[in-house]
Amino acid sequence: MSLRSLETTGESNPVLELKNLYKTFQTKTNTVEALKNVSISVNAGDIFGIIGLSGAGKSTLVRCVNMLERPDSGGVYVSGNNIATLREKELLRIRQKIGMIFQQFNLLKSRTVYENVAFPLRYLKKNRKEIDRKVGDMLAIVGLTDKARDYPSQLSGGQKQRVAIARALVTDPKILLSDEATSALDPQTTDSILNLLKELNMRFGLTIVLITHEMDVIKKICNKVAVLESGEVAEQGALWDVFANPSSDIAKKMLSGLFKLDNIQYILDNVDIGHLFRGNLDGRGASKPEWGWIVHLLFKGEKANNAYIAYLVKEFGIDVSILYGNIEIIQLSPLGSLFVAMTGDRRQAGKALDFLRSEGVAVHILKEYEYRDKQEEEDLC
Amino acid sequence: MLSRIAAYFPNVVEMQSDLLKSLKETLLMVGISGALSMFFGILLGVVLVVTAEDGLYENKWFAGVAGKLINVFRSIPFVILIALMVPFTRLVVGTSIGLKGAILPMVVGIVPFISRVMEQALCEVDKGVIEAARSMGVSKPYIVVHVLIREALPGIIRAIVISFISLIGFSAMAGAVGGGGLGSFAIRYGYARYMLDITVVTVLILLLMVNVLQGLGNMIAKKMTH
């Protein structure tokens, strides 16, 4: 199965749909609106990331999916059926079809790895042979066959999470909820767990809804993302769209770390950017620039390799100098990020950006520069 | 050797059979009231935990009333409780003295204590583990038995040991007001008739019982902790 085939679009029926969820918590001193009109739609095979800062309502949201937390209003549709109206007893069967893993693993300390994974099956009164086979299969998938007789206290964090994943999937659920599952792990272990989740997604078509506060996690395995802020969905969509054209402030802020936007912002705020443009023309001995743009360009996939800059210079007769660039690997395909200073004829520069947009490059003008006398005087000092 | 030791405890040797009878009574008292109060105590402890805020069967009103009631009973000194309960004990078991009369006050005296130590042991179970079990679609009664109690087992064993040790103390007090057992033996002879050796031997026996119990409990709890 190729990666691309998993990028299902709106045409297929969503396996999970949250519609207009509201949830308010009452504390002694005040009321907290944890969810405000949240609607999210997840298709089969999606790895749907929900990102937000702490307190944004992520945990509440993911708990509404399996009704560990009941929303005040709104619908939770699993395979088209609204489960928000079900009673606790009826929910048990639904929950058995939705696995869940946690930041703190939540393994049973008094039981071995084998018994932890067997736990849901024992509850369902499966016979011993079947339990043995299923547990053996799951432990093989997560790579812990030799740890079956160990107790959780003897395992590392990554191994504990693997046991938790085996336990969550032993009843063959179609959906896996991940509540900050890698947040307690070191970067290397995080990668190995994310790779395991991706593998489960590809091999078994497992739909994953994961919540995290780390853009890195989203970047590595999600094909869709929703950004949550103070209980509201600030924006959601396919990963590339949100990464390339974030519309909300919170998404921009969370992505700025990924593209090292803070470095550029520092330069723009603290350095006289006139220098950035002057450098372009001084070499040619031309006149001082009167105008310029600092532009952030994002190239997706194979576009990241195209020689756009040379083309712009040649075709539009403008000056383009590269300030900073890097390449991120997003869902196994490259996403190039480039900061450039453009100057020259303003209309030509505008055309150049239009051309880039038509090529599917995401273009963000970060700052416009205009020559001022005062600045010139300062520079001379 | 044995005869030289016996020389220090003349009265004990003389009242050997009385001592053994008292020991048997104490064991019976502690055993029967222990079994009964463990059952009710653990039950009440579980109820306290599951009805508490964010518990599986959250019921703030019930948890509040039960908590207050337990505090009331715990604040009554045991000797006074025995006296207070005399009419009730007579009504239930027909007598307020002897082995039979001692057991009921002992149960009523210890159950609030056990329920509190049980509550503490059960609170040690990570809320996340219970949430994980809920997320698997496991029913609440199953979670109580196979997750809550099972995970708290080492703590529960320790709590049981502490409770039994308290019960041994209670049994001595019950003895003082006519309940029989080692307590009344020590009071009747050691205290009332100035037979100090009887008091000493009684203390030694109680010491041995408590230590064996504690050692056994620690061993089991350790084996269960992973």
Side-chain angles (χ1 to χ4, degrees), chain A residues 268-292:
Chain A
L268 295 185
D269 290 344
N270 296 289
V271 179
D272 169 26
I273 61 169
H275 287 299
L276 300 175
F277 300 105
R278 198 148 316 137
N280 286 355
L281 296 182
D282 276 353
R284 294 216 227 132
S287 60
K288 291 175 186 91
E290 292 176 359
W291 168 88

Side-chain angles (χ1 to χ4, degrees), chain B residues 28-39:
Chain B
L28 260 175
M29 248 193 292
V30 171
I32 296 172
S33 64
L36 285 171
S37 48
M38 288 309 140
F39 175 77

Side-chain angles (χ1 to χ4, degrees), chain A residues 61 84 220 272 283 315 351:
Chain A
L61 182 58
K220 272 171 192 142
D272 169 26
E315 204 63 21
K351 276 187 193 163

Side-chain angles (χ1 to χ4, degrees), chain A residues 63 66-68 88 92 95-96 98 100 102 106-111 119-120 122-123 151 153 167, chain B residues 124 126-129 131-140 142-143 145-147 150-151 154 224 226:
Chain A
R63 275 165 181 70
N66 57 6
M67 288 286 133
L68 287 179
E88 189 71 20
L92 297 183
R95 290 199 187 119
Q96 284 155 18
I98 304 177
M100 189 168 185
F102 305 84
N106 294 343
L107 299 178
L108 298 151
K109 288 193 198 70
S110 64
R111 294 168 200 249
F119 180 79
R122 293 215 192 283
Y123 172 70
Y151 283 92
S153 61
R167 184 176 68 176
Chain B
E124 292 292 309
D126 191 349
K127 286 237 164 36
V129 179
E131 189 181 40
R134 286 191 65 207
S135 80
M136 292 172 214
V138 173
S139 71
K140 287 178 182 181
Y142 194 89
I143 292 176
V145 176
H146 292 90
V147 179
R150 172 78 190 266
E151 286 287 294
M224 282 182 166
H226 297 288

